[in-house]
Amino acid sequence: MFIRKENMIQKGDHILAGVSGGADSVCLLVLLHSLMDELSFKLSVLHVNHGIRQEASEDADYVKTLCDNYKVPFYLEEIDVPGMTRELSIGEEEAGRLARYDLFYKKMDEIGAGKLAVAHNMNDQAETFIMNLARGSGLRGLSGIRAVRDKIIRPLLMTSREDIEAYLQDQNILFKTDATNLEDDHTRNRIRHHILPYMTRDINSETLSHISRAAAELSYAQEYIESQAAKWLEDNGFGMDKDERSDKTIELNKATAYTTTELNATIEHSKDLELNKNAGYDEGMHSSYRLSLQGYRSQPYIIRKYIIMKLLDLVTMHRKDITQAHIEAADRLCMDKAGSKKLNLPYGIRLIRSYDELEIALGRDAVIDDDELVVDLEAINKADNGYIFSFNNTDFRARIIEIQEDDTEDFISKVPRLPYTKWFDYDKILSCPTFRFRRVGDYIVIDKEGHKKSLKKFMTDAKIPENKRNSVILMVDGDSIMWVLGYRTSCAYEISASTKHILEIDALSVN
């Protein structure tokens, strides 16, 4: 049994199950109820009404009826997810997920439950794997959903959605269908409705189980590498208490509102954090650390990557918006031995390297001058009216423009010709755009055929004075220059008939 293999449930446990009324969660309730006597644990159920669908109250009534029939304690919580979406400028799916887990943890505290059971299944695992792979996730993202993580257990993770629905039909157990799951509005739904069925039908009928097994193997590898990075940090004077940090993260995540008053307070707090670019800062944590880089540089890249991630864990509770490109930029900074350099990361984090020493600073302890700024694409995506950031005393505003079908030609005719407002094909960007100054190896694409010119030759041809070349701001994608501020943009990122999203960068003030 998968539950025993993963050691999910122990005698005397009190488990809170999240049950929406859909097939997966109803099956979870039925399964756990059938095991209560055999495994000697207590079961309670929480249903969360997100305030999105009109038929949501029917779902809640159905789950309550099931719980009454099984004599399982039932709890109902309601949250205004559309309101959170508008106020916090995040997607409805993300707002719903945050709301659910915040309510789950709150209810666990209230009733004394030590574990939370959720109904993720094999299809969810495969969808998550493909979605993370397409988004460029590293080993951690490809590890997918864990069967057991902290206080969360997922008993159905190795069961397919098809088997779940077949079992319920065989047992004559009804379940509710969320109409939004039938739409293609979200990336996950498109993977669910089109990509996975194609792979299962036309490539390999065992696609779901193969992806799930691969995700599990990657999770074991990721855990080992992470443990080696943690050991290296501990050997070098950075003690990390994983359980203590996990508990802090859970406490921090409980901040979402449960009443209108609390919701407004949480929204205002979140706005303050965003404005201060200091999200995740906790007064009980240190906001500045120093590390000798001599030993770091002798480690394999994969270990260095996890060392960086764990160092970032020391100064911020969240790492959602810190991408692979950020980690690579941090590693380049650490491996470079010449002089002193600095790097900005999301949440107000600054990395300052002075020869063989690295300082990681957060918030008020961070320095104000810049050597490199990695653009926070997640923040840009969330900002309705443009995301403001600064580099080298120059303020920029960035926004993503989505081109609707049949509107491409109109957008091509509107490409701005202003010297300090530029449009780029967002989907052609390979990493996170970065603002910095020139480096050896920089180049710019000068025509639609893809011919390149070195930055040095471009600056000579553009008659940029030698004494000013080191201070010209560059917007780059790796070594490929996207924009030489004040001069020209690369042809590699031009808007075309195939463009679906535009990244607009506007220099509001030029130093």
Side-chain angles (χ1 to χ4, degrees):
M1 183 196 293
F2 184 58
I3 290 175
R4 284 199 175 95
K5 176 187 174 185
E6 297 293 336
N7 197 28
M8 292 185 186
I9 301 174
Q10 285 78 44
K11 183 177 181 180
D13 279 346
H14 183 179
I15 298 173
L16 177 68
V19 181
S20 67
D24 304 337
S25 63
V26 168
C27 184
L28 176 68
L29 171 57
V30 174
L31 170 67
L32 291 176
H33 177 262
S34 69
L35 295 172
M36 285 177 64
D37 291 338
E38 179 183 346
L39 299 182
S40 300
F41 66 90
K42 182 179 178 181
L43 178 64
S44 298
V45 164
L46 173 62
H47 176 86
V48 178
N49 182 345
H50 295 76
I52 298 175
R53 298 178 297 114
Q54 290 183 346
E55 63 270 26
S57 59
E58 298 176 8
D59 296 350
D61 291 341
Y62 177 64
V63 175
K64 184 179 185 306
T65 299
L66 281 176
C67 290
D68 290 343
N69 291 340
Y70 289 133
K71 295 181 171 54
V72 172
F74 168 82
Y75 301 95
L76 172 65
E77 293 287 352
E78 298 182 344
I79 189 73
D80 180 14
V81 170
M84 287 181 63
T85 299
R86 290 189 299 271
E87 295 292 342
L88 296 177
S89 298
I90 59 177
E92 198 169 78
E93 190 175 18
E94 176 70 4
R97 186 186 67 82
L98 292 172
R100 282 196 305 276
Y101 279 95
D102 289 335
L103 289 169
F104 287 152
Y105 286 126
K106 179 175 181 285
K107 186 58 66 178
M108 288 171 69
D109 282 348
E110 287 182 0
I111 66 176
K115 292 179 179 176
L116 170 66
V118 291
H120 291 115
N121 57 49
M122 190 184 291
N123 295 65
D124 295 316
Q125 179 75 287
E127 292 159 12
T128 300
F129 182 94
I130 292 173
M131 187 162 58
N132 288 344
L133 181 66
R135 288 175 172 174
S137 294
L139 190 58
R140 178 174 290 187
L142 296 181
S143 298
I145 304 169
R146 304 294 179 87
V148 178
R149 192 176 189 105
D150 298 323
K151 298 179 180 181
I152 301 174
I153 61 173
R154 297 179 171 91
L156 299 178
L157 194 58
M158 293 304 291
T159 306
S160 72
R161 189 172 290 125
E162 182 181 17
D163 287 344
I164 287 171
E165 293 185 3
Y167 170 77
L168 293 177
Q169 290 170 2
D170 184 62
Q171 298 296 314
N172 293 318
I173 299 172
L174 299 177
F175 56 86
K176 297 289 184 177
T177 300
D178 184 345
T180 61
N181 289 333
L182 305 177
E183 301 169 354
D184 277 350
D185 291 348
H186 302 296
T187 301
R188 182 179 291 277
N189 282 8
R190 292 192 287 273
I191 293 172
R192 177 180 301 169
H193 298 153
H194 305 290
I195 297 176
L196 276 176
Y198 170 79
M199 294 177 71
T200 302
R201 182 184 64 249
D202 296 342
I203 298 178
N204 192 308
S205 61
E206 297 299 316
T207 290
L208 287 177
S209 61
H210 290 170
I211 291 178
S212 295
R213 187 157 56 247
E217 291 295 322
L218 289 171
S219 72
Y220 300 144
Q222 189 261 334
E223 287 173 359
Y224 174 76
I225 294 168
E226 190 167 320
S227 70
Q228 294 302 298
K231 183 178 184 302
W232 187 91
L233 282 167
E234 186 175 349
D235 291 344
N236 285 270
F238 289 83
M240 301 184 72
D241 188 332
K242 179 180 178 181
D243 293 334
E244 181 181 351
R245 288 195 52 75
S246 175
D247 291 341
K248 283 185 179 180
T249 302
I250 290 172
E251 289 298 323
L252 189 68
N253 286 339
K254 291 178 183 175
T256 298
Y258 307 106
T259 67
T260 302
T261 302
E262 292 169 340
L263 175 61
N264 291 334
T266 301
I267 289 168
E268 290 305 314
H269 178 62
S270 299
K271 285 180 178 178
D272 290 342
L273 291 179
E274 183 179 355
L275 288 173
N276 291 332
K277 295 183 181 179
N278 203 16
Y281 178 73
D282 179 76
E283 291 294 339
M285 301 170 65
H286 294 293
S287 54
S288 180
Y289 287 86
R290 292 181 182 275
L291 175 70
S292 172
L293 294 174
Q294 292 178 334
Y296 171 90
R297 291 170 177 150
S298 67
Q299 298 299 308
Y301 168 69
I302 189 65
I303 301 296
R304 299 200 309 268
K305 173 182 174 180
Y306 275 81
I307 289 172
I308 291 290
M309 290 192 288
K310 285 192 166 293
L311 284 170
L312 296 176
D313 279 341
L314 291 172
V315 294
T316 182
M317 288 292 187
H318 302 297
R319 211 173 347 100
K320 181 177 181 293
D321 294 338
I322 297 176
T323 67
Q324 176 77 5
H326 294 122
I327 301 299
E328 290 175 355
D331 182 62
R332 286 197 304 270
L333 178 83
C334 294
M335 296 301 288
D336 187 359
K337 299 180 181 180
S340 299
K341 289 189 177 179
K342 306 173 187 70
L343 172 66
N344 292 319
L345 295 178
Y347 309 123
I349 300 171
R350 299 286 184 95
L351 303 187
I352 306 106
R353 183 190 55 74
S354 180
Y355 296 98
D356 292 333
E357 184 177 75
L358 175 71
E359 179 182 4
I360 300 178
L362 175 67
R364 60 175 176 266
D365 290 337
V367 295
I368 60 172
D369 53 329
D370 305 308
D371 278 346
E372 181 174 331
L373 171 68
V374 181
V375 176
D376 191 342
L377 290 177
E378 289 290 335
I380 296 171
N381 271 297
K382 293 175 183 176
D384 291 332
N385 299 314
Y387 178 72
I388 306 295
F389 60 94
S390 298
F391 176 76
N392 196 45
N393 296 321
T394 299
D395 295 327
F396 295 88
R397 177 172 54 224
R399 64 178 180 137
I400 307 288
I401 303 170
E402 184 174 358
I403 300 180
Q404 300 300 321
E405 197 170 349
D406 300 327
D407 286 346
T408 306
E409 288 187 8
D410 184 47
F411 273 94
I412 291 175
S413 68
K414 294 178 180 177
V415 173
R417 306 299 176 187
L418 300 171
Y420 293 106
T421 300
K422 299 298 178 184
W423 281 5
F424 305 91
D425 189 323
Y426 178 82
D427 299 310
K428 292 179 180 177
I429 300 171
L430 299 178
S431 61
C432 285
T434 300
F435 283 83
R436 59 169 173 79
F437 303 106
R438 66 172 179 166
R439 290 180 185 162
V440 175
D442 285 341
Y443 65 88
I444 188 166
V445 175
I446 57 173
D447 55 35
K448 293 182 179 179
E449 284 68 43
H451 295 114
K452 301 174 183 178
K453 180 182 287 191
S454 71
L455 178 61
K456 180 178 180 180
K457 183 166 180 14
F458 167 78
M459 287 184 161
T460 299
D461 294 345
K463 296 182 172 53
I464 301 175
E466 183 71 34
N467 64 345
K468 292 187 177 181
R469 294 182 184 182
N470 288 335
S471 61
V472 174
I473 295 175
L474 306 175
M475 178 179 168
V476 302
D477 179 16
D479 292 331
S480 175
I481 294 172
M482 300 176 66
W483 184 13
V484 181
L485 200 71
Y487 294 91
R488 70 160 294 171
T489 55
S490 169
C491 292
Y493 305 91
E494 284 187 353
I495 308 304
S496 68
S498 62
T499 300
K500 302 298 182 186
H501 302 87
I502 294 170
L503 172 62
E504 180 185 81
I505 303 289
D506 185 14
L508 303 176
S509 61
V510 180
N511 181 27

